[in-house]
Structures are given as C-alpha cells and as structure tokens.
Amino acid sequence: SQTLYAGGGGIWRSTDGGSTWTAASTGLTNTNVWALAVDPVNPQNLYAGTFGGGVLKSTDQGNSWAAIDNGLPAQSVIALAIDPANPQNLYAGTLSDGVYRSADSGASWNSVGGPDLAGKYVHALAVDRLSPQVVYAGTSEGTVYKSADSGSTWTQLPTAGLGLYNLYALAVDPTNSSTLYLASGGKGIYKSTDGGASWNGMSAGIINTNTYALALDPANPQTVYTSTLGAGIFKSTDGAGSWQTANYGINNAAVRSLVAQPGASGILYASTFGGVA
C-alpha cells in the first residue's frame, strides 16, 4: 500500500506512500501518460495508456516497459480498467475508436462495442467489483454504455436527456452493484441506484460543476470524493447527498485524478495539473 505510480512526463514511482518519487520510464516510448492500471493479483504487472502511443506494459513494477498493441491501432488510450476477478481481462478506452478488450493480459486486443461505441471518445471505464462481467463506459458526448457480458455487447443507458457532456469519470459502489456515480464537465455529479436505469443530479454544495474525478472510500462507500478543474476537491459523507470542500493542503485547484487507498479508510491521493498530494 506504500507503492504508488503517477503518470505525467513519463511514469513515476513512490515506495514510501508518496514522500519521495523516482522515474520508472525505461522503455516507455511515449511519455504522455493518461491512464495507469495495476494488476490486483500480481502487482508486478502495470499497464499505461498513452496519448498517441497505445498501451505499454511492465512486468517488473515499472522498471522496464514494452508496447502491447497487437490489434490495438496506434492511438490515444485515455482510460484503462482491469477485471478484479480475472486480471487477464483488460479494457482500454480510446480517443476516437471506442473500447478495446484484451483477454490475455494485453498480448492481443479486439474492438468491442460494435456500431454504438465505434468512433466514440471513451474517457471513463468502470468494472463492477461484485459482478465483474458488468462494465461501464462513459463518452465525451455525455453518454454511458453498459455491458453485462464483459464487453461483448453494450446497451446505452438513459442519460441523453440530462444534457451531459465530457463524462470524465465513473465509479461503482464496491458493496452495492446498483449504485454508481458519474462526473461530468459542467454538469457535476449524477447518481444511479438502479444500475444506470435512471439518474439524479447530486451536486449540492459543489461550487464548480466541472467535475473530473471520483473516488469512493473502500471501507465506507457512502463517503465519496470528487475533484474539479478549478475548485479543488469536494467530499460527501452521505452518498453524494451533500458536499463540502476538502482542500486543506492542496495548492492547485485543478485536480486531475483521485485514488482512495485500498484496504484503508480516509487515505486519499490526488494528482493535480502540476503535482501530487
């Protein structure tokens, strides 16, 4: 739990909970890293999605990297997700060609989603921890797609009437598959309690609705965090019913990503456009 990775101008690794960082970019052919994923079973295995350079993999905790783009056109990979029950299953969200899936730890990739997701900018991916065959994908158009068969087929969820755009993040409650959240640019947070069949706006107290990231406390998923690109971090302790600022010590209000430490309560990491806290 003390080992962290950050992408930006390459890949950086900390082994002391973020106190110090060293470069971990040997073999990385594209340093514009937009997504990172760690194998939950074998943490030696890491995956990096890059802007314009596809996906790269490390099998030694970031000491060396190699491209794994067989079947994945050289393109921008904005989001990555791993099946927690079967880490050989990977999902990649791309800038202009929907979702790709690998069933062999990245050795080969196939486009999934058919005509519904073809050509879509997929910025967000989420896998249901309780039912890992359920996968969600969010697009820059504000649409959300759901797969109940590990990405083989997809159904568009009813978000079109919400006027959303730039759907940046999705999160599924790890204790309740029916509850999920989305963060959108300009429209704030929405929540579903029926697996995405319906949605409600949940942004009371967020003073900047250009929300960008989501994180749920693993020990208490009623505690939800979101970040904005201008007003820092907000925290809810009632499942997004209300929000308060949580910015003490944050010196950059443009927060790019959030990660709640697995197996711990109250430990949150935030990366900004310019650093990590």
Side-chain angles (χ1 to χ4, degrees):
S1 62
Q2 293 296 297
T3 300
L4 311 174
Y5 300 91
I11 295 173
W12 305 83
R13 179 179 60 209
S14 173
T15 57
D16 53 13
S19 295
T20 60
W21 296 83
T22 57
S25 300
T26 300
L28 197 68
T29 53
N30 186 309
T31 59
N32 197 348
V33 178
W34 274 69
L36 287 169
V38 182
D39 186 324
V41 175
N42 181 4
Q44 296 283 332
N45 295 331
L46 314 176
Y47 301 89
T50 68
F51 194 89
V55 178
L56 296 101
K57 180 179 181 179
S58 172
T59 57
D60 53 14
Q61 289 190 306
N63 289 322
S64 61
W65 294 86
I68 51 167
D69 290 329
N70 181 24
L72 180 69
Q75 59 180 298
S76 298
V77 173
I78 307 301
L80 289 171
I82 299 181
D83 182 333
N86 181 6
Q88 288 188 330
N89 289 333
L90 310 174
Y91 303 90
T94 70
L95 178 66
S96 59
D97 200 18
V99 177
Y100 282 75
R101 179 183 64 195
S102 173
D104 51 16
S105 301
S108 61
W109 297 85
N110 292 288
S111 177
V112 295
D116 288 336
L117 278 168
K120 294 291 194 300
Y121 177 176
V122 176
H123 202 296
L125 291 169
V127 178
D128 185 340
R129 294 186 64 83
L130 297 180
S131 301
Q133 73 277 8
V134 176
V135 186
Y136 296 90
T139 76
S140 63
E141 300 170 355
T143 52
V144 183
Y145 293 84
K146 180 178 182 178
S147 174
D149 52 14
S150 300
S152 295
T153 59
W154 298 80
T155 301
Q156 184 175 343
L157 298 179
T159 59
L162 302 178
L164 302 178
Y165 57 93
N166 288 341
L167 202 158
Y168 288 128
L170 290 164
V172 185
D173 188 322
T175 64
N176 183 352
S177 296
S178 296
T179 300
L180 60 151
Y181 302 87
L182 67 80
S184 68
K187 292 285 187 175
I189 305 299
Y190 280 77
K191 178 180 181 180
S192 174
T193 57
D194 52 15
S198 62
W199 297 84
N200 292 298
M202 306 291 284
S203 299
I206 298 177
I207 61 175
N208 182 329
T209 54
N210 193 16
T211 50
Y212 206 83
L214 285 166
L216 276 62
D217 189 310
N220 180 15
Q222 284 290 103
T223 298
V224 186
Y225 302 90
T226 190
S227 72
T228 71
L229 296 185
I233 299 169
F234 290 81
K235 176 182 179 180
S236 172
T237 57
D238 55 7
S242 59
W243 299 85
Q244 301 80 38
T245 57
N247 287 325
Y248 184 77
I250 296 288
N251 57 14
N252 187 334
V255 178
R256 168 70 174 81
S257 60
L258 296 170
V259 177
Q261 182 168 304
S265 182
I267 299 177
L268 185 73
Y269 295 92
S271 69
T272 70
F273 285 94
V276 179

